[in-house]
Amino acid sequence: MLDGKGTQVQVLDDELVVVLGPDGATAYETAGWRQRWQVAATDLVHAAAFGDVVLLRSGGSENGGWLGWPAGQTTAVDRTTGQTLWRTQRYVEPAGDLLVSYSPEGSQPDVEIRDPRRYDLRWRLPASRVWVYDVRRDAVWRLAADGAVVEHDLHTGAVRRTLRPRLPAAKYVNIVLSREAVGFEGYEDNGRPEQRGVLWYDAKTFAQVTGARQWVWESDCGGGLSCAYTAGDGRAFLIDPVTGEPVRSLPEEEFVPSPAGLLLVGSPDLGFITRRVLARLEPATGRRLTDLAGWHALSDDGTPVRVLGRTGARQGTTYLTELAEDGPHRLGEVPYLLRSCGLAGAALVCTTMSGDIAVWGIGRERP
């Protein structure tokens, strides 16, 4: 057992694990499991490493991730010492080596580009109807009130291009991005995209292109594949992450990624706080397998699930299974009811239902 109490394990990288609890955050070095720092705070729901800064999120939803975090407070602390660097009530998102900070209130978004360590203002986006950060091109795109589309350099704010493409004939227009194109999606008051879809333009030439294989969101889904979504209808596909070619469509069911394939999930069972596995999709074939039905994901932060748990044979125990690309590996039974777990190299770090923090070696390093 480690010193300290907590409820949620956040493995930030190979060297640092943060455990969130009702009284704050505790950081541990994975080499020797020495406590590095503690930060007092209430209602912490998320932590992430950002260079030599750790960002701690208070309030809102545990599953909010970074994009579109609900209202609450972000606290930045020094990775080594835990010293508080700055706080903000604004939304923040990583943007390369900078932060995008914004308030969505009002008719026009108030967007700022800031330094992650000191929170110094680099530049402010002019008044716009909508905006989006472009990770692939280190840019910020915005739609001006007069219908002009403006591309800004992320680091300097300098205008790279001002364009006037044909836009959807709709009350509202969103900017959506894919690997090679910029799209404009029209929608009405109910938020539903127009039936005629999205108008797409090549990101380099701004010549109009088709919507085929224009993935507006991609994420690691394990098994060497990515999950990707289309604009407009929001359909989900498994794709080859290198070529962008679709492998197969995905069912319209709730799922979470894992190295052993997508896990189709439902509501938690009594005694667990995380979602119950209904089936998994085998990455190579897309077959629906039930070998993990009834197990529960022991991480729920949007990253691929690496550890599952289920009630043990004896009262107050938990069976564990690790998910790897070659399939599930049973890890055995531990004498605790577990709440949240993460894999840090060859170590399994878990919080128990009573708030204790435990670490087990699992025998071999994982990539």
Side-chain angles (χ1 to χ4, degrees):
M1 289 287 181
L2 301 180
D3 291 335
K5 293 284 186 176
T7 57
Q8 186 181 357
V9 174
Q10 305 261 276
V11 178
L12 302 193
D13 50 40
D14 292 340
E15 298 177 353
L16 195 66
V17 172
V18 169
V19 179
L20 308 179
D23 300 321
T26 306
Y28 298 91
E29 299 175 355
T30 58
W33 293 102
R34 183 178 67 89
Q35 188 180 119
R36 182 175 287 186
W37 46 258
Q38 286 184 305
V39 173
T42 58
D43 198 25
L44 287 176
V45 295
H46 193 72
F50 196 26
D52 61 355
V53 174
V54 173
L55 300 181
L56 303 172
R57 179 67 181 172
S58 298
S61 166
E62 287 189 9
N63 302 320
W66 287 104
L67 184 60
W69 260 354
Q73 178 174 273
T74 296
T75 301
V77 302
D78 182 271
R79 176 189 176 96
T80 302
T81 66
Q83 177 186 0
T84 298
L85 302 173
W86 50 265
R87 291 188 176 93
T88 182
Q89 295 287 339
R90 294 164 62 90
Y91 292 11
V92 294
E93 298 175 18
D97 57 354
L98 298 172
L99 284 178
V100 176
S101 170
Y102 62 98
S103 172
E105 298 176 0
S107 60
Q108 294 183 333
D110 170 24
V111 183
E112 300 170 344
I113 310 300
R114 290 183 172 269
D115 175 83
R117 183 165 182 86
R118 300 179 58 182
Y119 205 57
D120 292 340
L121 178 66
R122 294 290 186 88
W123 59 280
R124 182 177 282 112
L125 198 69
S128 310
R129 291 165 59 184
V130 293
W131 65 278
V132 66
Y133 161 59
D134 189 341
V135 63
R136 296 178 182 89
R137 288 165 278 270
D138 270 342
V140 177
W141 297 88
R142 68 182 181 95
L143 180 60
D146 64 356
V149 176
V150 185
E151 180 189 11
H152 292 265
D153 182 273
L154 170 68
H155 288 87
T156 66
V159 173
R160 291 177 178 172
R161 289 182 287 181
T162 299
L163 304 154
R164 293 191 175 275
R166 183 168 67 91
L167 300 175
K171 185 173 183 179
Y172 302 104
V173 176
N174 254 347
I175 304 174
V176 290
L177 304 171
S178 71
R179 295 185 179 195
E180 305 294 341
V182 179
F184 300 92
E185 176 185 28
Y187 62 98
E188 301 300 332
D189 287 336
N190 61 8
R192 297 178 60 184
E194 292 189 316
Q195 293 299 311
R196 65 188 183 85
V198 182
L199 297 179
W200 286 100
Y201 296 88
D202 182 275
K204 293 181 179 178
T205 66
F206 247 74
Q208 191 163 356
V209 294
T210 72
R213 297 178 179 80
Q214 304 292 5
W215 312 117
V216 297
W217 188 77
E218 300 178 31
S219 66
D220 178 14
C221 271
L225 298 173
S226 292
C227 289
Y229 293 82
T230 60
D233 55 13
R235 293 178 61 200
F237 291 81
L238 277 177
I239 69 167
D240 183 302
V242 177
T243 65
E245 290 294 315
V247 175
R248 65 180 60 86
S249 62
L250 292 174
E252 294 183 3
E253 299 174 65
E254 188 174 8
F255 58 79
V256 294
S258 89
L262 291 181
L263 306 177
L264 306 180
V265 295
S267 301
D269 287 327
L270 185 65
F272 285 90
I273 64 168
T274 50
R275 289 171 288 186
R276 176 172 50 93
V277 177
L278 306 175
R280 73 178 173 108
L281 298 181
E282 188 178 56
T285 65
R287 291 188 303 156
R288 186 178 295 225
L289 307 177
T290 58
D291 54 340
L292 298 176
W295 290 79
H296 281 253
L298 289 178
S299 62
D300 200 14
D301 60 359
T303 61
V305 173
R306 304 288 298 277
V307 183
L308 300 178
R310 65 183 306 167
T311 304
R314 295 170 294 159
Q315 185 175 4
T317 64
T318 304
Y319 281 126
L320 293 171
T321 286
E322 179 191 3
L323 301 180
E325 290 195 7
D326 59 351
H329 297 270
R330 299 294 172 91
L331 297 177
E333 188 177 12
V334 296
Y336 306 99
L337 291 176
L338 300 181
R339 179 184 180 97
S340 171
C341 293
L343 278 174
L348 177 66
V349 191
C350 298
T351 57
T352 71
M353 287 296 184
S354 61
D356 294 317
I357 306 167
V359 179
W360 292 277
I362 58 174
R364 59 191 173 101
E365 292 282 346
R366 303 296 194 261

